[in-house]
Amino acid sequence: MTDAPAAEAANPESSRGCVRTQLDRARFRAALSRFPTGVSIVTFDGPEQRHGMTANSFTAVSIDPPLVLVCVARNATTHDLMRDRPFTVNILGAEEERLALHFAGRPSVKPEWIEDPVAPRLAGCLAWFACAPWAAYDGGDHTLYVGKVMGFDYRGGDALGFVNSRFTVISEASLGVEFLL
């Protein structure tokens, strides 16, 4: 049996371990893009204005208490503004690709806002989770923001997905867990 750390130290060109070069980073990102995700927009009120950013790094953390997590790149303009602020995760429907692009830096639509007692949200989304700040964790070049869900809702419809660096449609299942409860 080989001691992996010792073998890696002896062979710095090993494919195991850290992402070492720009090419490695590009290949790592390409490998990650093979995992299909949903598309969301994180919205919040900053000290001077309202903000939103497109994100596909979103996941549920806990049912009790209800917690969700979003990953925000440290170089994002919204990164520092979001710290310790309530936020809403807006899950996009398949028809909302232009809204995703708008909040990814390619403005093309005027978002319709809904005032929420926790944090602003977007009208018409497939689902939304209004969150109070719970915790923030170091995630390398990202920060992992965990929010306690204070309110949520959803509607029927297909979801906007993202895989292989392209948008796609994730069809609504005919029966979801809500029909089993």
Side-chain angles (χ1 to χ4, degrees):
M1 186 162 159
T2 306
D3 179 11
E8 198 172 317
N11 181 7
E13 299 303 314
S14 168
S15 63
R16 297 175 54 106
C18 294
V19 177
R20 291 186 172 89
T21 67
Q22 192 66 24
L23 179 59
D24 288 342
R25 284 189 282 280
R27 287 183 49 76
F28 182 62
R29 187 177 180 113
L32 290 172
S33 78
R34 286 356 187 225
F35 182 71
T37 65
V39 181
S40 69
I41 296 172
V42 179
T43 54
F44 62 96
D45 280 330
E48 297 176 18
Q49 66 183 28
R50 184 155 286 168
H51 296 275
M53 65 173 185
T54 301
N56 64 351
S57 294
F58 161 76
T59 190
V61 174
S62 170
I63 298 294
D64 188 15
L67 301 175
V68 297
L69 176 145
V70 292
C71 300
V72 180
R74 290 187 187 279
N75 64 0
T77 56
T78 55
H79 178 272
D80 293 339
L81 296 171
M82 190 171 154
R83 183 172 300 282
D84 299 322
R85 293 192 186 282
F87 60 91
T88 299
V89 179
N90 303 269
I91 307 301
L92 299 187
E95 70 284 359
E96 297 176 303
E97 183 176 328
R98 290 182 59 210
L99 195 58
L101 291 170
H102 176 85
F103 284 101
R106 294 188 234 161
S108 63
V109 296
K110 183 175 176 166
E112 184 181 337
W113 294 96
I114 294 177
E115 299 303 321
D116 186 276
V118 178
R121 58 187 169 92
L122 297 168
C125 291
L126 192 59
W128 58 270
F129 304 89
C131 302
W134 177 270
Y137 300 99
D138 181 350
D141 60 2
H142 283 64
T143 296
L144 314 177
Y145 288 109
V146 178
K148 182 175 183 183
V149 177
M150 308 303 288
F152 69 94
D153 203 359
Y154 65 94
R155 65 171 172 83
D158 295 339
L160 182 62
F162 199 72
V163 64
N164 293 324
S165 301
R166 289 185 171 81
F167 289 109
T168 189
V169 173
I170 302 171
S171 295
E172 179 178 31
S174 57
L175 294 176
V177 70
E178 62 273 14
F179 294 103
L180 300 175
L181 301 176

